[in-house]
Amino acid sequence: MAALSATVFAAVPITVSTDNVALRYMVGDDGTLCQSYFGKRMADDSYASLGQGVEAFTTHGYTDQFEPALHINHADNNSSLILKYVDHKVEEVKPGVTTTTINLADPVYNDAVSLVLTAYAPEDIITCHSVITNNSGKDIELEKYASSMLHFYAPEYYLTEFSGDWGREAAMSSQPLRFGKKVIDTKLGSRANAMVSPFFMLSLDKPATETAGDVVLGTLSWTGNFRFTFEIDQMNRLRVISGINPYYSAYRLKKGETFVTPDFVFTYSDKGVGQASRNFHDWARNHKVKDGNGDRLTLLNNWEVTGTDFNEEKLVNMMHDAKELGVNMFLLDDGWFGNKYPRDNDLQGLGDWDVMEKKLPNGFAPIIEEGKKLGVKFGLWIEPEMVNPKSELYDKHPDWAITLPNRDIVTKRNQLVLDMSNPKVQDYVFSVVDKLLTDWPDIAYFKWDCNAEITNIYSHYLGKDQQHLYVDHVRGLYNVLDRIKAKYPDVPMMMCASGGGRCDFQGLEYFTEFWTSDDTDPVERIFIQYGMGHFMPSKVLCAHVARWNGDVKIKFRTNVAMMGKLGFDYNIHEWDGKELAYVKQAVKNYEKLKPAILDGDLYRLVSPYDGNHAVNQFMSKDGRLGAIFTFDIYPRWGEHEYNVKLQGLDPNARYDIFEIDRFEAGDFKYGEYTGEYLMEVGIPILTGYRLHSRVYEIRKH
Ligand code: DGJ
């Protein structure tokens, strides 16, 4: 990327770098912190020719006239902030991970602002957050408090967003950026990503492809409202401001108090989008996701099979179905609780987490015991942050729900969001999990749902600090999750919010995976998993074989789900003998391919957005085992089917390619090739069949 301005004297250089990426700051002679470079890491000598650049973290109210990163209102009504460099320090947190803290302060009001940048060298990921301390001696109000500001200077900028809706999460669309602002944000409060995932992709100069071009991928680690602002000024310079959405969130900071913003996480690649995604996948597994390098449990879930209409016998039978399938766990979904207000549908009962005696007179014991005999674990669905107005919890504590005084209550899915800013509510939510695990220590897994966004924005706890609610709600959730993680570190959990309504990396510090979408139509899932997979490793993308889209055969459905964290939401008795035999074989194949799919490198060979096919290749980290998933979705008659070129192989090595996972047939040796041939010439694995899929195994000699 180009330097940002002509050379001016610069006293203090600060370089934050990974193996291949560098972000360079310089402190100007007036003490202003400037960003002088962001892009490919260069030799130290080369940085010496850089100019000072532009102010790195701009503030409201003094000289800058574009969107600021920070806006503080002081007690005397002076709303300006001037930040001058104080000092900086660099610490090695662990091998390959270095944190640089740059301390800035206002010389008159003494507000202190630190930028904390952590560089993950081998993964080429940098995280950045700001820490704001009120040293002004009086209360201040934070009106805008970004985590990060990045500056770019390129002839053209292309932005890709990942917006959508329930059932079509992370749909990708791109646009060129021009003078002015483009904002991507959410204001839903909880289930915040239902309409837009907290991701963006920015190509510089020209749209990047999978294998070529300069591209930046960024996300905010925050399970609430976020905002990314892209603003181009009159010089065609771009600033990207990332942080909590300041919408209705002005935050009062008492004297001496500190506000820590969430991490903005980003990477840069000069080799296209595929490399940038692999950077994220590696970082997520190595540093962020709970048990990121651990295994994942395959499962059978009852939601799409029974809904809330089940009894002990049906569930015990499903334990047997799980065993028959060969999966690790049976997951009991919604509908098992509530006695005064039985949870027989979604109209009532949320909040009353006692086992429903009518349906399960012996509690979970018979299901758990059967599971123990069969070697199948037991997992449980909960939704502890929510309440139905028709519940004992709401009868007792109406003020625990987020509702407006003097207004009719507006519910979403007949439910309200509990006010997580209230410590009593936090204790209660913790107690839901704590009590379940105390009463039923064999619960091996939770699916933690969250099916409503915040409506009726008002906290009965926060008093005059109403604008703290969106922020303190998320912080309250983290308090609870911290306590759960500390007491029950080994219980894996699925994050869920009517599908992918929660898909952020901070959530994944507590959850091992997330429910990618309620939409289990395999065709739609190809697109949803493709979008999410730009940031999220397959390991965290829960993908279940279910019934949506009756046109699709079992093999295609299963192959789509095998590209994520595999599960089933199916009545296995609806399959004929051949189908069941196929699925059981597929579960075994999945176990064999896990080192490639869950822990390896993803290469997106053919994008579903480009036509009527999709192909993904996964390679294990040692390069010995690979899997190719090909999908012919709706090819047109007479369409040319070009060879698919593989990636990430050793050109000098030889590889066997087997077609595996065949319906009613054994593995078939497709051919033997050099890595060079596979990458330069490719193989003809696309077909003209509709809704057709194949799985190939790659074995290195
Ligand atoms: C929404 C989830 O996304 C579904 O998988 C299911 O758990 C339902 N909630 C249950 O209410």
Side-chain angles (χ1 to χ4, degrees), residues 303 333-334 343 381 413 447 449 451 496-499 515 518:
W303 178 245
D333 215 284
D334 194 356
R343 178 74 171 177
W381 178 98
R413 205 198 188 205
K447 174 178 178 183
D449 213 339
N451 285 300
C496 177
S498 315
W515 181 226
D518 275 348

Side-chain angles (χ1 to χ4, degrees), residues 321-389:
D321 295 347
K323 173 72 181 171
E324 175 71 15
L325 272 175
V327 295
N328 308 122
M329 182 171 59
F330 168 65
L331 170 62
L332 171 57
D333 215 284
D334 194 356
W336 57 264
F337 50 89
N339 284 301
K340 181 171 177 195
Y341 300 101
R343 178 74 171 177
D344 290 324
N345 49 46
D346 63 16
L347 296 171
Q348 61 181 31
L350 267 189
D352 304 343
W353 299 102
D354 299 315
V355 181
M356 194 195 297
E357 285 162 22
K358 184 178 69 169
K359 282 184 193 167
L360 300 172
N362 304 299
F364 303 129
I367 310 153
I368 289 174
E369 290 314 314
E370 200 66 14
K372 278 187 186 164
K373 278 188 235 154
L374 298 168
V376 179
K377 292 178 193 286
F378 174 70
L380 190 66
W381 178 98
I382 50 175
E383 193 179 2
E385 297 159 75
M386 302 278 158
V387 64
N388 282 129

Side-chain angles (χ1 to χ4, degrees), residues 166-169 301 303-304 447 499 515-526 528-529 542-550 552-553 556-558 560-561 567-570:
W166 175 85
R168 54 184 187 89
E169 292 87 343
N301 187 191
W303 178 245
E304 299 262 335
K447 174 178 178 183
W515 181 226
T516 317
S517 178
D518 275 348
D519 189 340
T520 54
D521 169 348
V523 172
E524 294 305 320
R525 268 293 182 133
I526 287 177
I528 295 167
Q529 292 171 201
C542 295
H544 292 185
V545 177
R547 301 171 49 122
W548 290 39
N549 189 350
V552 182
K553 297 251 174 2
F556 190 103
R557 291 180 187 280
T558 309
V560 172
F568 294 83
D569 233 300
Y570 219 108

Side-chain angles (χ1 to χ4, degrees), residues 324-513:
E324 175 71 15
L325 272 175
V327 295
N328 308 122
M329 182 171 59
F330 168 65
L331 170 62
L332 171 57
D333 215 284
D334 194 356
W336 57 264
F337 50 89
N339 284 301
K340 181 171 177 195
Y341 300 101
R343 178 74 171 177
D344 290 324
N345 49 46
D346 63 16
L347 296 171
Q348 61 181 31
L350 267 189
D352 304 343
W353 299 102
D354 299 315
V355 181
M356 194 195 297
E357 285 162 22
K358 184 178 69 169
K359 282 184 193 167
L360 300 172
N362 304 299
F364 303 129
I367 310 153
I368 289 174
E369 290 314 314
E370 200 66 14
K372 278 187 186 164
K373 278 188 235 154
L374 298 168
V376 179
K377 292 178 193 286
F378 174 70
L380 190 66
W381 178 98
I382 50 175
E383 193 179 2
E385 297 159 75
M386 302 278 158
V387 64
N388 282 129
K390 254 181 120 178
S391 66
E392 291 183 70
L393 182 71
Y394 190 78
D395 287 348
K396 242 184 272 163
H397 299 290
D399 57 321
W400 282 10
I402 296 177
T403 54
L404 280 163
N406 309 320
R407 301 273 180 215
D408 290 341
I409 288 173
V410 180
T411 56
K412 286 283 156 119
R413 205 198 188 205
N414 313 304
Q415 64 197 56
L416 293 165
V417 181
L418 290 176
D419 179 1
M420 299 295 289
S421 73
N422 183 341
K424 284 198 179 121
V425 176
Q426 294 171 27
D427 287 345
Y428 154 78
V429 175
F430 172 73
S431 78
V432 171
V433 174
D434 196 31
K435 182 165 185 312
L436 281 167
L437 284 173
T438 307
D439 293 350
W440 308 99
D442 291 305
I443 293 174
Y445 180 93
F446 282 111
K447 174 178 178 183
W448 178 308
D449 213 339
C450 164
N451 285 300
E453 58 267 24
I454 296 179
T455 47
N456 321 285
I457 182 80
Y458 184 88
S459 161
H460 297 272
Y461 169 75
L462 284 171
K464 66 180 184 348
D465 286 328
Q466 285 302 323
Q467 289 209 39
H468 291 198
L469 182 52
Y470 282 127
V471 171
D472 286 356
H473 183 73
V474 178
R475 288 177 168 175
L477 172 65
Y478 292 156
N479 283 344
V480 172
L481 292 170
D482 274 328
R483 288 168 71 185
I484 293 171
K485 194 172 170 181
K487 189 158 178 191
Y488 303 104
D490 300 325
V491 179
M493 297 203 287
M494 180 202 294
M495 176 161 76
C496 177
S498 315
R502 274 181 173 167
C503 60
D504 68 286
F505 278 111
Q506 196 54 37
L508 286 169
E509 200 166 294
Y510 305 100
F511 292 88
T512 44
E513 57 225 51

